[in-house]
Amino acid sequence: MNKILQAQFFVDDLSDDQKAVITNINDYITQGLTGKQSSVAIIEGAAGTGKSVVLMELVRQYMTDKRYKTSLVVNHPELYKAYQDIAESIPNMKVKDIRRPTSLINYAQKNHKQYDIIFVDEAHLLYSKSEPYAHYRGQNQLTDLMNLAKVVVVVYDFDQVFQSKMYWDKDLLYKTIGNHPHKLFNMNFQYRMVASDNQVAWMDDLTAEKPLKPFPDDSDFEFKMFDTAGELFENIKKRNKEFGMSRVVATSGFPRIDGRHNVEMDSFSLPWDEWDPQRTHWAKREGSITQVGTIYTLQGFDLNYVGMIIGPSFGYDPQTDTMTIIPEKYSHKEVFKKRKDMKFTRDEYKAFIANVLNVLIKRGKYGLYLTAYDDALRQRLLELNQEK
């Protein structure tokens, strides 16, 4: 296993909070394996709370034990590749037991397979509707997984929901679970970032369109505002040479210029990230320093430093002194796809877009470098965060 994946998914010294969650879930799994109905263990927590670390400890425990028929599924192509890498390096763990959810469901239904435990990372990416284009013809992937296993262990973060086809909230989750036994295991402690609680709250307030304020200076977490994306990129390149795993990311909405759909702002012009079928995930590839990351390559992964370009779909309202979300300027149409079984309001679409920014802005363990495409928003953030 490479050192980057080792550091992200396994830690030598679990926190007391993490150990307690693992012990409690173990007890619940033991109980569920003898039950008449399939049961669901829900691991809930915000970005950076170490959900994947807890999940991998459980995965390593049960998926290397021949007594159990198990599988690990994740509907994120980059995480899927990472978990395959991890499986290859763990004795008695089989790479073939790591699957995308559609693949597992179709395989198990066709071959009449049943499981003791199915683990689901990033369960908020499960389809909650039919998606024939992706070869999923069921109505809800969680329902299908529950029908295949005695116990389903799912990791949810409802603040990482940003597409209608993968829409989840607590009401839909519990409606889907129905009368099946279930238990919530809440992880409400920050683990990834060295940022303080006040600094994490600042990020949450920014994306929630709350009044702007200076970034708190009460930890070793490094925050810098930049007037140009070009200068931000130069600083990210320096951090990448020093510490590695430092990348520029952005939200959608940048206009096409001369036929190019790059992220272009002042002297900065780079293409978006590119999906690659190779097993090396995007953030670890050397060439990705010259691309701009998105949720599709970075959700679920840590960076050391993140350079965040807030895109054109975010503006500034001087009357309320808040960052505003402008769905009409958000160019990634997957967010706005219609569903027959539910309708979304403009505010709900705004929440999807805010969630994208919130996911990306929290990728950096040690620092956040920030700029904004909108002139008024950028100037207000610079004014608030001048060198003290």
Side-chain angles (χ1 to χ4, degrees):
M1 188 191 314
N2 69 70
K3 292 181 179 179
I4 294 171
L5 293 179
Q6 175 75 36
Q8 172 153 353
F9 293 98
F10 297 100
V11 296
D12 294 329
D13 187 20
L14 291 165
S15 71
D16 290 341
D17 289 322
Q18 290 170 329
K19 290 176 183 176
V21 170
I22 291 168
T23 297
N24 292 336
I25 295 176
N26 268 323
D27 292 343
Y28 187 75
I29 290 174
T30 300
Q31 177 184 340
L33 288 172
T34 61
K36 295 181 179 179
Q37 277 187 300
S38 62
S39 57
V40 183
I42 308 158
I43 303 174
E44 184 189 354
T49 55
K51 300 184 297 297
S52 292
V53 171
V54 166
L55 183 72
M56 285 312 300
E57 287 296 321
L58 294 165
V59 163
R60 182 161 57 176
Q61 177 181 340
Y62 289 98
M63 293 189 69
T64 59
D65 191 327
K66 293 181 180 179
R67 293 177 297 172
Y68 304 108
K69 178 67 175 175
T70 58
S71 184
L72 167 64
V73 300
V74 60
N75 203 25
H76 189 292
E78 295 291 317
L79 271 178
Y80 171 66
K81 290 188 288 187
Y83 282 137
Q84 287 185 310
D85 285 347
I86 291 170
E88 286 181 342
S89 64
I90 298 176
N92 301 317
M93 193 165 170
K94 299 175 182 177
V95 175
K96 69 179 181 65
D97 293 331
I98 314 292
R99 288 180 176 264
R100 301 285 291 275
T102 298
S103 171
L104 178 75
I105 291 165
N106 290 345
Y107 164 78
Q109 290 177 344
K110 180 180 179 180
N111 295 283
H112 308 289
K113 298 290 185 181
Q114 289 290 315
Y115 296 82
D116 294 309
I117 312 164
I118 294 176
F119 299 95
V120 188
D121 199 7
E122 306 283 344
H124 40 269
L125 299 181
L126 291 174
Y127 294 137
S128 55
K129 64 181 285 292
S130 178
E131 193 65 19
Y133 179 77
H135 308 291
Y136 176 64
R137 292 173 174 79
Q139 297 303 312
N140 185 301
Q141 288 188 323
L142 177 57
T143 298
D144 291 338
L145 293 172
M146 289 164 54
N147 289 334
L148 295 176
K150 294 178 182 177
V151 181
V152 182
V153 180
V154 291
V155 175
Y156 271 92
D157 178 357
F158 297 104
D159 290 332
Q160 295 197 41
V161 172
F162 47 79
Q163 286 190 38
S164 62
K165 66 184 178 184
M166 302 168 182
Y167 179 76
W168 290 96
D169 62 12
K170 286 190 177 181
D171 288 342
L172 179 58
L173 173 60
Y174 290 122
K175 180 181 178 181
T176 303
I177 293 172
N179 294 324
H180 289 264
H182 59 275
K183 187 172 182 179
L184 177 66
F185 300 88
N186 199 299
M187 295 179 61
N188 57 3
F189 40 87
Q190 181 57 229
Y191 175 79
R192 178 199 297 127
M193 295 183 289
V194 300
S196 68
D197 291 344
N198 289 331
Q199 291 169 331
V200 174
W202 185 94
M203 299 177 202
D204 291 334
D205 289 348
L206 175 71
T207 57
E209 297 182 292
K210 293 185 179 180
L212 298 174
K213 55 188 177 183
F215 190 83
D217 183 17
D218 60 351
S219 82
D220 292 332
F221 187 80
E222 184 181 6
F223 174 85
K224 286 186 178 180
M225 267 300 306
F226 291 89
D227 192 29
T228 68
E231 186 182 4
L232 178 148
F233 182 42
E234 292 303 315
N235 279 267
I236 283 294
K237 286 193 290 185
K238 290 177 184 177
R239 285 288 180 257
N240 190 54
K241 285 184 178 180
E242 291 173 327
F243 304 104
M245 295 292 288
S246 301
R247 297 290 185 270
V248 175
V249 305
T251 55
S252 175
F254 289 86
R256 291 184 181 273
I257 300 175
D258 298 330
R260 301 185 306 273
H261 191 202
N262 289 359
V263 176
E264 302 198 30
M265 176 181 163
D266 50 75
S267 64
F268 181 87
S269 178
L270 287 181
W272 292 102
D273 50 12
E274 294 182 3
W275 184 81
D276 193 319
Q278 65 179 300
R279 289 283 289 274
T280 305
H281 63 79
W282 182 84
K284 205 183 77 173
R285 299 202 295 265
E286 289 186 13
S288 64
I289 187 66
T290 58
Q291 297 175 356
V292 179
T294 66
I295 46 173
Y296 296 104
T297 47
L298 278 171
Q299 187 175 24
F301 286 100
D302 296 345
L303 294 172
N304 287 326
Y305 287 83
V306 61
M308 178 78 235
I309 303 175
I310 302 176
S313 50
F314 295 86
Y316 174 67
D317 184 343
Q319 293 187 329
T320 57
D321 195 22
T322 60
M323 183 177 74
T324 58
I325 301 169
I326 312 165
E328 293 78 13
K329 292 187 177 182
Y330 199 79
S331 55
H332 186 57
K333 301 307 179 187
E334 283 290 323
V335 168
F336 305 108
K337 277 192 172 179
K338 300 291 191 288
R339 295 180 56 145
K340 293 180 180 180
D341 58 333
M342 60 179 70
K343 292 184 178 180
F344 298 100
T345 66
R346 188 173 189 273
D347 282 343
E348 286 172 323
Y349 284 128
K350 286 173 62 177
F352 289 166
I353 297 168
N355 287 347
V356 172
L357 176 57
N358 198 286
V359 167
L360 291 174
I361 211 168
K362 293 177 178 176
R363 290 302 94 191
K365 295 169 67 174
Y366 305 115
L368 167 65
Y369 294 172
L370 188 64
T371 193
Y373 183 88
D374 181 84
D375 291 337
L377 175 60
R378 186 176 68 256
Q379 291 304 317
R380 180 57 178 148
L381 288 168
L382 282 165
E383 177 185 315
L384 288 168
N385 293 285
Q386 290 176 341
E387 292 289 336
K388 298 178 177 64

